[in-house]
């Protein structure tokens, strides 16, 4: 067995870790590399399931179902089921869907794909020196599609926060500003942005022809720090800042509207229908605030960990430690959290899910997430999309 450097091993240990974003370049092979490799094999091998060596130089590591992989698998299954239900419910009401429903569906689709790519798979220990081997290193080894899905999910959540603010603060212009065509463009742009942010893996993930291993290779420590800082800002700081800012501004606009509606209700001596729709808007705002807060709580710790590591403030020994694995599992949990939040916080969603499994299915008369939040509060046309 050829000697393998520490960078390769720490990057390959499990599919659930952010391989290239948390792995420093190692130019020299240390004397302990072989011992690390032996520890790695002993830790990940399964009794009775030896590696399989093929004639084309492929060799595979059997999956060892450790606690973090079991949690990762459970999270993936929960995310697949939950987000599939969201997509099915919105598909049934597709003719009634408005901008919020479309964006929530796009968020569920991104989380569904992330959950699928999250499923642990056997890892290649060696790959052939061929075009297929290069593709494996740059796409599969780097978990590129998993991270692209996470990027699309993050920026779709940000788009929902912006859309809600426009709906509340600029109701008279909402119909012209947020059209169906523009919503689709935003969704596609989020995926393109996700590919652009993750495209650095094509340069960093490479196949070492001498050892037939996939290895990350940064040009220098400075390049690694630059990439780590950029990812921290683009993946976490910027989306979280925009989402929180939009939530605060939306809450402020709703507060101002509620004062006006309370005054009108007192003058009319009765209940104001617009006030009821305002209360419904607040419910949706509260639900989306919880979604944003869960995103920050799930991704914040691991993103800070990777940022500090890429700055060189943490040593390699922290990678794949129990703390690191716990943070990875926590961040992956965000992909299955939103359907749970919808179920707990939104009665209309619970009713829609109940109708899926009920023998008495009624015809949906309203959009799921938009019906109570657009139009009637300010007495303009209820249809807000072209």
């Amino acid at each position: 067995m050829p000697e393998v450097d520490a960078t390769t091993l720490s990057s390959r240990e499990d599919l659930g870790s952010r391989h290239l974003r948390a792995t420093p370049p190692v130019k020299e092979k240390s004397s302990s590399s072989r011992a690390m490799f032996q520890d790695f094999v002993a830790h990940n091998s399964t009794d009775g399931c030896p590696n399989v060596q093929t004639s084309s130089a492929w060799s595979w590591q059997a999956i060892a179902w450790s606690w973090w992989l079991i949690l990762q698998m459970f999270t993936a299954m929960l995310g697949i089921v939950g987000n599939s239900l969201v997509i099915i419910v919105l598909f049934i009401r597709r003719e009634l869907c408005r901008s919020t429903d479309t964006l929530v569906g796009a968020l569920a689709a991104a989380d569904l794909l992330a959950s699928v790519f999250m499923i642990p798979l056997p890892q290649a220990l060696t790959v052939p020196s061929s075009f297929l081997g290069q593709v494996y290193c740059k796409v599969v080894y780097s978990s590129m599609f998993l991270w692209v899905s996470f990027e699309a999910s993050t920026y779709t959540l940000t788009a929902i926060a912006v859309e809600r603010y426009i709906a509340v603060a600029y109701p008279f212009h909402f119909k012209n500003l947020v059209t169906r065509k523009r919503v689709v463009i935003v969704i596609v742009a989020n995926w393109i942005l996700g590919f652009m942010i993750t495209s650095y893996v094509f340069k960093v993930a490479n196949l070492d022809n001498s050892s037939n291993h996939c290895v990350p290779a940064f040009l220098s420590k400075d390049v690694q720090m630059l990439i780590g800082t950029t990812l921290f800002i683009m993946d976490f700081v910027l989306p979280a800042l925009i989402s929180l800012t939009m939530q605060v501004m939306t809450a402020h606009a709703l507060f101002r509207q509620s004062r006006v509606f309370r005054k009108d209700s007192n003058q009319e001596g009765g209940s104001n229908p617009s006030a009821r729709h305002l209360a419904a808007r607040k419910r949706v705002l509260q639900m989306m605030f919880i979604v944003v807060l869960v995103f920050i709580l799930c991704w914040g710790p691991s993103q800070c960990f990777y940022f500090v590591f890429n700055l060189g403030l943490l040593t390699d020994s922290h990678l794949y430690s129990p703390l690191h694995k716990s943070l990875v599992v926590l961040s992956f949990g965000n992909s299955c959290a939103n359907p749970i939040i919808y179920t707990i916080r939104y009665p209309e969603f619970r009713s829609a899910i109940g109708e899926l499994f009920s023998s008495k299915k009624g015809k949906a008369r309203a959009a799921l997430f938009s019906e109570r939040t657009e139009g009637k509060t300010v007495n303009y046309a209820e249809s807000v999309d072209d």
Side-chain angles (χ1 to χ4, degrees):
M1 180 66 67
E3 189 174 15
V4 184
D5 62 47
T7 304
T8 306
L9 296 177
S10 63
S11 300
R12 192 191 294 132
E13 184 168 349
D14 65 80
L15 181 64
S17 298
R18 199 165 202 168
H19 307 305
L20 301 177
R21 304 188 182 199
T23 308
V26 178
K27 298 182 179 180
E28 297 181 0
K29 298 179 181 179
S30 64
S31 59
S32 61
S33 297
R34 187 178 300 276
M36 288 184 63
F37 176 76
Q38 293 172 349
D39 292 340
F40 167 73
V41 172
H43 181 69
N44 287 278
S45 296
T46 303
D47 293 340
C49 298
N51 297 333
V52 178
Q53 179 79 35
T54 66
S55 57
S56 59
W58 290 97
S59 65
W60 301 89
Q61 176 63 55
I63 298 177
W65 290 102
S66 52
W67 64 268
W68 68 89
L69 283 185
I70 293 175
L71 287 177
Q72 181 176 319
M73 187 66 177
F74 175 78
T75 301
M77 293 297 99
L78 192 60
I80 291 173
V81 173
N83 289 293
S84 296
L85 289 175
V86 174
I87 293 173
I88 292 172
V89 168
L90 291 174
F91 179 78
I92 293 175
R93 304 185 182 215
R94 62 190 180 279
E95 295 181 357
L96 302 170
C97 282
R98 298 177 181 176
S99 55
T100 306
D101 302 85
T102 303
L103 289 171
V104 170
L107 177 63
D111 287 336
L112 173 62
L113 289 176
S115 299
V116 171
F117 292 125
M118 200 187 303
I119 297 176
L121 297 173
Q123 296 290 285
L125 291 177
T126 60
V127 296
S129 299
S130 63
F131 174 77
L132 184 60
Q134 288 282 359
V135 171
Y136 176 87
C137 290
K138 295 181 180 297
V139 177
V140 181
Y141 163 79
S142 65
S143 301
M144 185 189 71
F145 289 120
L146 173 65
W147 300 112
V148 170
S149 300
F150 282 142
E151 302 283 358
S153 173
T154 298
Y155 281 97
T156 301
L157 178 60
T158 306
I160 294 175
V162 175
E163 184 265 354
R164 286 293 80 213
Y165 171 70
I166 297 175
V168 172
Y170 304 99
F172 291 108
H173 304 286
F174 184 81
K175 180 179 178 180
N176 294 326
L177 291 175
V178 185
T179 63
R180 189 180 303 276
K181 180 179 179 180
R182 289 179 178 176
V183 169
V184 173
I185 291 175
V186 168
I187 294 172
V188 174
N190 288 336
W191 282 94
I192 295 175
L193 181 60
F195 275 104
M196 292 176 61
I197 295 176
T198 314
S199 62
Y200 77 96
V201 301
F202 288 104
K203 182 65 176 178
V204 174
N206 295 284
L207 172 60
D208 185 353
N209 294 323
S210 61
S211 62
N212 292 101
H213 295 303
C214 295
V215 294
F218 292 94
L219 296 178
S220 66
K221 184 64 178 179
D222 291 337
V223 172
Q224 182 188 353
M225 294 175 61
L226 177 62
I227 292 177
T229 303
T230 303
L231 290 172
F232 181 64
I233 294 174
M234 296 297 295
D235 291 353
F236 181 68
V237 175
L238 188 61
L241 184 61
I242 294 176
S243 297
L244 285 177
T245 301
M246 292 296 102
Q247 292 288 330
V248 172
M249 294 174 66
T250 304
H252 178 67
L254 282 174
F255 176 74
R256 292 177 58 187
Q257 292 179 14
S258 65
R259 293 176 59 184
V260 175
F261 292 140
R262 283 197 300 268
K263 181 179 179 180
D264 292 343
S265 297
N266 293 333
Q267 292 177 350
E268 294 173 3
S271 62
N272 190 330
S274 295
R276 293 195 296 270
H277 292 284
L278 181 64
R281 281 189 170 187
K282 289 182 178 180
R283 283 198 358 251
V284 175
L285 176 65
Q286 290 171 356
M287 182 186 69
M288 295 313 302
F289 176 76
I290 294 175
V291 171
V292 173
L293 183 61
V294 169
F295 163 77
I296 295 174
L297 293 178
C298 287
W299 279 103
S302 62
Q303 289 287 349
C304 292
F305 177 93
Y306 293 128
F307 177 60
V308 173
F309 180 87
N310 283 319
L311 291 181
L313 302 179
L314 292 177
T315 62
D316 294 354
S317 61
H318 291 86
L319 286 179
Y320 307 104
S321 64
L323 174 61
H324 175 221
K325 293 169 183 174
S326 299
L327 296 181
V328 169
V329 172
L330 176 63
S331 61
F332 283 5
N334 185 243
S335 295
C336 66
N338 292 341
I340 298 175
I341 296 172
Y342 302 154
T343 303
I344 296 175
R345 297 289 303 182
Y346 205 61
E348 286 84 351
F349 182 73
R350 292 199 299 270
S351 299
I353 293 296
E355 292 176 1
L356 290 179
F357 302 97
S358 174
S359 57
K360 299 180 180 180
K361 299 182 183 294
K363 184 178 180 181
R365 298 181 180 180
L368 185 58
F369 294 98
S370 302
E371 187 269 335
R372 294 178 179 272
T373 64
E374 295 162 359
K376 294 184 179 180
T377 303
V378 290
N379 297 321
Y380 69 97
E382 287 191 33
S383 177
V384 296
D385 291 324
D386 291 343

